[in-house]
Amino acid sequence: MKISATFLLLFLLSATCLKAQNTPAPIKLADVILTADHADWNYKLNEDATIKISILRYGSPIENVEIEYQYGPEQFTPEKKGILKLQNGVGEINIGTMNVPGFRQLKVQTNIDGYVYKNEIKVAYAPFDIKPTVNLPKDFEAFWDKAKVANDKIPMDATVIHKPELSTATVNVYLVRLQNYKPGHYLYGYLSKPKDNKKHAVLFNPPGAGVKKIVPITSFADQGFISFTTEIHGISPETDEKHFQEQREKLKDYWAIDLEDKNNYYYKSVYLGCVRAIDFLTSLPEFDGKNIVVTGGSQGGALAIVTAGIDQRVTSIAAFYPALCDNSGYLHHRAGGWPSIFSDKYQNNSSEKIKTMEYYDVVNFAKKIKIPGFYSTGYNDNTCPPTSTLSAFNSVSAPKEIVITPISAHWRFGETNDKSIKWLKDKCGIE
């Protein structure tokens, strides 16, 4: 059967149009704009914060729109809820104040033509005066020194397999397996090396939270680093999908495994795995012998701080919105870090679990950092709340640069990321 050229052309055009019609809009039809009366979103203690609310459609205010709002301390039950009618699409709400350092949060939503539009904002009160609630055990350093000595006795047993299919024109990629913590216990990672046969600074990039297959990241190598991106659960990225899903289900709440036992808590092998990653990177013949960098965000930001605090070989750090910070905050009626271990949601508040977490809280590793650091967070982050991340940042006594982008939630702007890479390259003398 012959198909006419005209029919074929019409078919292709209609298919193209259908695809275009189903393309998601890159912007919202209506916007809820929240504007703090302090441009940096920072307030003094006992100073009221007033938030301007604008409901826009096509960039213009919507007349006589009604909003629902609630405000109070971040991550806790709102102090006040209400409804406000905006006569000209614009209004204001005074969300009160705080007499101790911390954050207040306003949430707003409105219904327009059957669709709900939301936004929220968190403002800071003396954010750089926020102190952690977590205790520092007297034997904290002794505990980790003993763990590192035991880990040193475990052979690294490294396997390094070149992956041409994952490599680029400028970067060689290798799948790496390292033994860690106990015989037969492994971690996996992708090593990326510039194809120039030169000596380079090494960069460790630990992963964000979750159980997911890692992928190679070659961008650090393109910037002049030998980089190592790892997972933490001992699951090869090449494992079959059935086994991977079984492991994912088994490790769904891995952060709670053996939380009552400081000597066997799940994150012990993870933290020691970070040291093992540095062991591996510094063993490479292409290592320049002096520059050792760690960087990451969320759980990766936490592990970057842990690595810098536990391993004196690290020379510089860049950490974004770290998890696992000041976990005990919820026990003091303020936001704690991801994964909200001691919030009412999980009912983990036994004395044994609280004591264990003191040995693993990122704040206590931040206190041990002695090297220059680049740090960044956003105020609108609900995953790693700024009260918790700033508890860690404020605990660092070493030279530091902190970039706050208040509007950021649990993500970073490209501009901030670029600034961190430039900062790290400057520290390593990379042009």
Side-chain angles (χ1 to χ4, degrees):
M1 182 177 68
K2 294 183 178 180
I3 299 176
S4 71
T6 302
F7 176 83
L8 182 59
L9 179 60
L10 288 172
F11 174 79
L12 291 173
L13 285 172
S14 64
T16 302
C17 290
L18 182 61
K19 182 179 179 180
Q21 289 170 354
N22 290 332
T23 302
I27 60 175
K28 295 179 181 178
L29 187 62
D31 289 299
V32 179
I33 307 297
L34 304 178
T35 307
D37 59 346
H38 284 197
D40 60 2
W41 299 19
N42 291 332
Y43 293 80
K44 298 177 182 177
L45 298 182
N46 301 308
E47 180 181 15
D48 282 356
T50 299
I51 308 300
K52 178 182 176 182
I53 303 158
S54 305
I55 310 297
L56 309 179
R57 181 164 52 193
Y58 319 140
S60 299
I62 301 175
E63 299 291 331
N64 299 315
V65 68
E66 193 172 79
I67 65 166
E68 298 177 40
Y69 67 87
Q70 60 182 46
Y71 61 77
E74 70 162 338
Q75 304 293 82
F76 277 85
T77 303
E79 294 174 350
K80 184 174 181 179
K81 297 181 179 181
I83 295 174
L84 179 65
K85 189 171 185 178
L86 309 182
Q87 298 297 330
N88 59 355
V90 178
E92 290 183 346
I93 296 178
N94 184 323
I95 66 170
T97 189
M98 297 182 70
N99 57 14
V100 295
F103 286 81
R104 289 181 71 77
Q105 184 172 27
L106 169 68
K107 295 183 178 181
V108 172
Q109 71 175 45
T110 185
N111 189 309
I112 300 172
D113 298 331
Y115 291 89
V116 175
Y117 298 86
K118 300 179 180 181
N119 201 358
E120 62 183 78
I121 186 172
K122 281 191 259 186
V123 298
Y125 287 84
F128 296 110
D129 292 330
I130 294 173
K131 304 298 182 186
T133 63
V134 64
N135 293 319
L136 176 64
K138 291 182 180 179
D139 64 341
F140 180 84
E141 289 190 40
F143 175 83
W144 285 108
D145 285 345
K146 180 180 178 181
K148 288 190 294 181
V149 168
N151 209 52
D152 283 342
K153 296 177 181 178
I154 304 298
M156 187 157 51
D157 190 25
T159 61
V160 182
I161 303 172
H162 185 220
K163 293 292 177 179
E165 71 277 15
L166 300 176
S167 301
T168 71
T170 57
V171 177
N172 274 320
V173 173
Y174 305 81
L175 177 60
V176 178
R177 191 192 72 172
L178 305 176
Q179 188 171 233
N180 173 65
Y181 190 52
K182 61 181 68 171
H185 187 281
Y186 295 95
L187 66 89
Y188 293 83
Y190 280 115
L191 177 70
S192 297
K193 295 195 297 186
K195 291 182 176 180
D196 58 9
N197 296 315
K198 296 179 180 179
K199 300 284 186 178
H200 291 278
V202 292
L203 181 151
F204 173 43
N205 177 219
V211 182
K212 50 202 172 192
K213 292 186 179 182
I214 55 171
V215 296
I217 297 175
T218 59
S219 58
F220 293 121
D222 282 328
Q223 294 289 340
F225 297 95
I226 295 172
S227 71
F228 189 39
T229 299
T230 66
E231 55 82 49
I232 64 170
H233 305 295
I235 304 174
S236 169
E238 296 183 341
T239 193
D240 66 82
E241 194 61 25
K242 181 181 178 182
H243 176 70
F244 175 73
Q245 292 302 333
E246 288 173 351
Q247 292 298 105
R248 170 179 275 178
E249 181 61 27
K250 178 182 176 182
L251 298 172
K252 181 171 57 177
D253 292 328
Y254 63 88
W255 47 265
I257 296 175
D258 293 324
L259 180 56
E260 70 285 346
D261 182 357
K262 70 177 182 181
N263 292 308
N264 294 294
Y265 179 42
Y266 191 83
Y267 270 107
K268 187 174 185 181
S269 69
V270 176
Y271 289 7
L272 292 173
C274 294
V275 177
R276 178 71 6 132
I278 303 300
D279 292 341
F280 171 68
L281 284 168
T282 55
S283 74
L284 298 174
E286 299 90 348
F287 169 46
D288 70 7
K290 55 183 179 178
N291 294 298
I292 304 168
V293 171
V294 289
T295 185
S298 193
Q299 179 184 260
L303 297 180
I305 291 175
V306 167
T307 309
I310 200 175
D311 195 325
Q312 301 303 309
R313 292 173 294 181
V314 177
T315 57
S316 55
I317 173 177
F320 294 84
Y321 37 84
L324 294 160
C325 294
D326 203 42
N327 298 273
S328 56
Y330 286 103
L331 305 177
H332 299 264
H333 199 70
R334 73 180 213 192
W338 177 91
S340 306
I341 292 174
F342 300 126
S343 67
D344 291 342
K345 177 180 178 181
Y346 294 113
Q347 300 295 314
N348 274 322
N349 302 355
S350 72
S351 59
E352 293 85 1
K353 293 178 179 180
I354 293 169
K355 188 63 180 176
T356 291
M357 205 61 220
E358 293 175 359
Y359 290 87
Y360 294 88
D361 198 295
V362 167
V363 162
N364 289 336
F365 292 90
K367 291 177 179 178
K368 303 300 179 182
I369 290 177
K370 298 173 182 169
I371 56 171
F374 178 101
Y375 304 93
S376 182
T377 194
Y379 288 172
N380 276 353
D381 194 334
N382 289 325
T383 304
C384 296
T387 299
S388 68
T389 56
L390 283 164
S391 293
F393 297 153
N394 295 343
S395 296
V396 176
S397 59
K400 59 188 175 183
E401 178 176 335
I402 299 176
V403 175
I404 303 291
T405 50
I407 200 170
S408 299
H410 199 59
W411 41 262
R412 72 192 83 164
F413 286 100
E415 294 91 331
T416 309
N417 194 65
D418 290 345
K419 188 172 184 179
S420 76
I421 296 298
K422 183 180 184 305
W423 186 91
L424 289 172
K425 290 174 69 173
D426 288 345
K427 292 299 178 186
C428 296
I430 299 173
E431 297 182 356

